[in-house]
Amino acid sequence: MVLQTILITLVAILGKCEFLLGTSLIQRPIIMGALTGLVMGDLQAGVIMGATLELAFVGAVSIGAYIPPDMLSGTILGVAFAIKAGMGAEAALTLGMPIATIMLALNTIIGSPVMLFFTHLADKHIAQGNEKMFSFDVIGGGLIAAMVTLPIIPLAFYLGSDAVTAVLGGLPEFIQTGMNIACG
């Protein structure tokens, strides 16, 4: 279990670092599902579940002010929990969509202020002509902002689907209604 948690963490880090590799689309469910399936010992199920989640997230592209649900965490946790429970793609989808929506909210609440802080630093450093610090603000700030919610993925995996389901089930009704509308 500990080894799988470490490997799940590495898969999540790879997906979160996608912006460092250019737009390689490595964070898409078809890739993350396969990698998660490999970690869980069932590559075929990972590919099938990843492809199913890819269909659900096919339009999940950030355009303008729209920020799509966090398909990275939804895919990794949905696929991992479904394979662990011996269930199919429907279970991965059923768990993945609410997880992705909750993680979007957490990324917005936690990651956006961090990114805003580094954006202001970048403005200050470029005005001073400090290119080295400007580069750190842009690249390092983006990496830090992307990683602030990373610990949630291995923690949720380690605690298991029952804990995640309990958290999702404990949300107030108006949040659950909003999530159902957003996931629909």
Side-chain angles (χ1 to χ4, degrees):
M1 178 70 165
V2 173
L3 178 62
Q4 279 184 328
T5 304
I6 291 168
L7 293 173
I8 289 289
T9 305
L10 293 174
V11 169
I13 289 170
L14 177 66
K16 291 246 183 203
C17 289
E18 192 252 354
F19 77 95
L20 294 174
L21 305 170
T23 306
S24 61
L25 301 178
I26 204 165
Q27 88 290 359
R28 296 298 302 184
I30 192 79
I31 304 297
M32 289 290 112
L35 292 174
T36 303
L38 189 63
V39 167
M40 297 301 294
D42 193 347
L43 178 62
Q44 182 178 359
V47 169
I48 292 168
M49 292 177 192
T52 302
L53 284 161
E54 183 70 39
L55 290 172
F57 286 115
V58 75
V61 178
S62 183
I63 298 173
Y66 172 72
I67 301 172
D70 183 7
M71 65 186 142
L72 176 76
S73 56
T75 300
I76 292 172
L77 292 173
V79 169
F81 290 150
I83 290 174
K84 196 173 189 182
M87 301 176 93
E90 300 82 17
L93 187 60
T94 301
L95 283 169
M97 291 302 283
I99 290 169
T101 306
I102 291 293
M103 287 298 286
L104 167 63
L106 291 174
N107 284 330
T108 302
I109 292 167
I110 300 168
S112 293
V114 171
M115 194 64 199
L116 186 60
F117 171 77
F118 280 101
T119 301
H120 288 302
L121 276 180
D123 289 341
K124 177 183 149 198
H125 289 134
I126 202 64
Q128 295 170 346
N130 189 343
E131 293 177 24
K132 187 178 268 188
M133 285 307 296
F134 172 77
S135 294
F136 172 78
D137 296 337
V138 172
I139 296 171
L143 185 61
I144 292 167
M147 295 299 174
V148 293
T149 56
L150 176 74
I152 296 170
I153 297 171
L155 181 65
F157 175 76
Y158 188 77
L159 294 176
S161 61
D162 290 339
V164 172
T165 304
V167 168
L168 292 174
L171 294 174
E173 179 140 352
F174 73 94
I175 292 177
Q176 289 181 11
T177 301
M179 282 177 32
N180 289 337
I181 292 169
C183 289

